[in-house]
Amino acid sequence: MMVDLKVTEESSEIGFYSGLVDSCFAVAQCCTILQWGRLSDRVGRRPVIFIGLLGSIISVFFFGHSKNLAWALTSRSIAGALSGNVAVVQSILSEITDSTNEAKAMPLNSLTWNLGCIIGPIIGGNLLYPAKRWPNTPLDNAWFREFPYALPCAVGASIGLAALTLAYTSLQETRWKKHALKSNVVTVIASREASHNPNPSQVESLRSTPKKTTVRDILAYPPLRDTIMAGFLQSILATGYDVVFALVCFSPISLGGFSRSPAEIGYAFAFGGLLSLLILPFGLPSLQRRYGTVSLYYGLSMFWPFIYLMFPLLNMIVRHFVIDEENCTLSIEGTYVLWTGIAVLILMTRITSMSFSLNIMLVKAAAPDKEMLGSTFGVSQTIACIARAIGPILASSLFAASVDRQILGGNAVWLVMASIGLWGFLQARSLYCHNL
């Protein structure tokens, strides 16, 4: 899109502007997600869900009709600013589940994301430039010639409209339903106390609503603070991995990479998404029942240092199978070895990604006030947004600097990221102290 919008004449700057469009969504989301969570505590979950879906529909549709960079940035910023659904959906899942079924429900949040990551690129890749792809058809018209991205974005907006319709007709309000149940219980208890206790102040304290939980209260509570910090480090490691995996796969073997084509990299990401569709709904519930939430979270965090150290190890191995140094061509055996290593790397990462669903459970368990789950998850997701902004920049910058300056033989990035992984492992261990 940046090429078609002619934002620059330098091809080397296209990546910067593409990243700028992507990052403005995360920045806008980071600035507003807490407020959406707090609003859902006051007005309910359904209205905020409807606003978020409506914002996505409008922004996606207008993004496909972008005429310049400012239009594209505005569309993505609107999408980010109105995307309070992440924290609110987590609140809904927390309110409709308990310890007996949350391990089955929480993975659905990540499952739908992975499904979208598979379907989205398919829609975008196959419906771009409809006038050129299908000449002499109704799609070959002036509108699609002027806006070659309008069709896939219109399809995406239609999916959003279907989701909004489904939510309006089927999604029940969980905030007031739970609050009403608690209020009824409190009223019964207060009535019984009134018949035995003549002191009105003590009876009134039972009927009083919980005090408002502020951001300071949330972050000052040690169990929740440690849980959010663990999730922050996990998010840095996961988003950093996604970026650096693509960079390593594309880079020449002589520079520490794997010399894979863009199509092969796309297949690798799709393979990872398919693995997640299998691991999350079937693997997580049984493992959580067997080991417990904290123990499983702690065990999964152990993988990250080894995942990052596998990159230089696999490059070191495949160097022995290079038969053409100039074109970075591998022997047949070397190709098998490389793809086996990549498959193992992706499998380890997908298994480790179960920690995000576990983190939702831990945030719920550590919340200081269960009546303010929207605010709690809003704070958690705000900090996660910051991590998702830091991770890609940190990993890609370290990789570029390590390779360009040959810091520690080009391996400085792996030592730094593995150290962060070790930090995350130690942070996860601290959760044992809180009996979550």
Side-chain angles (χ1 to χ4, degrees):
M1 175 178 278
M2 296 302 102
V3 175
D4 292 329
L5 294 179
K6 300 178 181 178
V7 297
T8 179
E9 296 180 357
E10 298 293 334
S11 58
S12 60
E13 296 178 357
I14 293 298
F16 167 77
Y17 287 103
S18 297
L20 183 63
V21 172
D22 287 336
S23 63
C24 69
F25 176 93
V27 172
Q29 184 186 51
C30 182
C31 294
T32 61
I33 192 169
L34 171 58
Q35 306 308 320
W36 288 119
R38 298 179 72 172
L39 180 64
S40 74
D41 284 334
R42 295 196 300 270
V43 303
R45 314 301 185 201
R46 273 170 55 95
V48 177
I49 291 289
F50 297 157
I51 293 172
L53 287 172
L54 185 61
S56 296
I57 294 168
I58 295 173
S59 61
V60 168
F61 182 81
F62 281 101
F63 183 73
H65 294 80
S66 298
K67 294 183 176 181
N68 49 53
L69 179 61
W71 191 319
L73 290 172
T74 301
S75 300
R76 293 298 293 158
S77 296
I78 291 173
L82 297 178
S83 64
N85 291 4
V86 178
V88 179
V89 167
Q90 292 178 359
S91 301
I92 292 175
L93 288 174
S94 297
E95 288 169 338
I96 64 176
T97 60
D98 54 32
S99 58
T100 64
N101 56 12
E102 62 183 5
K104 294 180 180 179
M106 297 305 179
L108 297 177
N109 192 42
S110 300
L111 192 67
T112 53
W113 171 263
N114 283 281
L115 187 61
C117 289
I118 295 173
I119 296 175
I122 293 175
I123 294 175
N126 288 282
L127 298 183
L128 288 175
Y129 304 106
K132 292 182 180 179
R133 290 192 175 201
W134 298 286
N136 302 320
T137 67
L139 297 176
D140 184 11
N141 56 55
W143 185 265
F144 287 132
R145 282 194 292 271
E146 183 177 359
F147 303 107
Y149 299 90
L151 181 60
C153 288
V155 172
S158 300
I159 295 174
L161 182 60
L164 177 60
T165 304
L166 181 63
Y168 183 78
T169 57
S170 303
L171 180 65
Q172 298 181 4
E173 180 58 64
T174 60
R175 171 73 174 126
W176 306 130
K177 182 178 180 180
K178 183 176 181 180
H179 182 71
L181 178 62
K182 181 175 180 180
S183 298
N184 291 336
V185 173
V186 170
T187 300
V188 171
I189 295 175
S191 298
R192 291 178 179 176
E193 285 293 322
S195 62
H196 297 89
N197 189 349
N199 189 342
S201 62
Q202 295 183 14
V203 175
E204 184 62 27
S205 66
L206 288 170
R207 291 195 175 98
S208 62
T209 57
K211 70 180 183 68
K212 182 178 179 180
T213 303
T214 64
V215 176
R216 180 177 296 181
D217 293 332
I218 292 172
L219 295 179
Y221 190 57
L224 186 57
R225 183 178 63 242
D226 288 344
T227 301
I228 290 177
M229 185 62 188
F232 173 79
L233 295 172
Q234 292 283 335
S235 295
I236 287 180
L237 292 164
T239 54
Y241 165 84
D242 288 338
V243 171
V244 84
F245 178 81
L247 289 174
V248 172
C249 286
F250 187 74
S251 299
I253 294 176
S254 60
L255 295 179
F258 300 151
S259 297
R260 298 297 93 190
S261 68
E264 290 174 321
I265 298 172
Y267 293 142
F269 276 110
F271 174 66
L274 291 173
L275 282 178
S276 293
L277 295 180
L278 298 175
I279 293 173
L280 286 170
F282 301 110
L284 180 57
S286 59
L287 290 172
Q288 192 268 346
R289 284 195 304 269
R290 181 171 182 177
Y291 298 106
T293 304
V294 175
S295 296
L296 181 57
Y297 189 83
Y298 173 61
L300 293 175
S301 66
M302 193 183 304
F303 280 76
W304 279 116
F306 297 102
I307 288 173
Y308 276 100
L309 292 177
M310 270 194 67
F311 283 105
L313 177 62
L314 187 55
N315 174 262
M316 188 184 306
I317 294 173
V318 298
R319 282 175 183 262
H320 297 287
F321 296 94
V322 175
I323 57 178
D324 185 349
E325 292 283 350
E326 184 176 352
N327 297 316
C328 296
T329 304
L330 294 175
S331 63
I332 296 178
E333 295 84 358
T335 302
Y336 284 130
V337 170
L338 175 59
W339 279 109
T340 300
I342 290 176
V344 171
L345 187 63
I346 294 173
L347 177 61
M348 290 177 63
T349 309
R350 294 301 97 192
I351 291 174
T352 308
S353 68
M354 290 190 293
S355 62
F356 289 102
S357 297
L358 294 171
N359 189 260
I360 299 175
M361 302 179 204
L362 292 172
V363 169
K364 173 188 174 182
D369 186 350
K370 298 301 188 291
E371 292 298 315
M372 303 296 290
L373 284 175
S375 299
T376 301
F377 281 111
V379 172
S380 174
Q381 286 303 307
T382 298
I383 295 176
C385 284
I386 297 173
R388 289 194 290 269
I390 293 175
I393 296 174
L394 177 64
S396 59
S397 300
L398 284 172
F399 180 78
S402 299
V403 173
D404 291 343
R405 303 178 184 179
Q406 283 298 296
I407 304 173
L408 298 178
N411 295 316
V413 56
W414 313 124
L415 293 178
V416 173
M417 297 306 294
S419 298
I420 297 176
L422 180 60
W423 182 11
F425 170 69
L426 296 175
Q427 183 66 33
R429 184 179 177 84
S430 70
L431 300 181
Y432 278 111
C433 302
H434 302 302
N435 298 319
L436 297 176

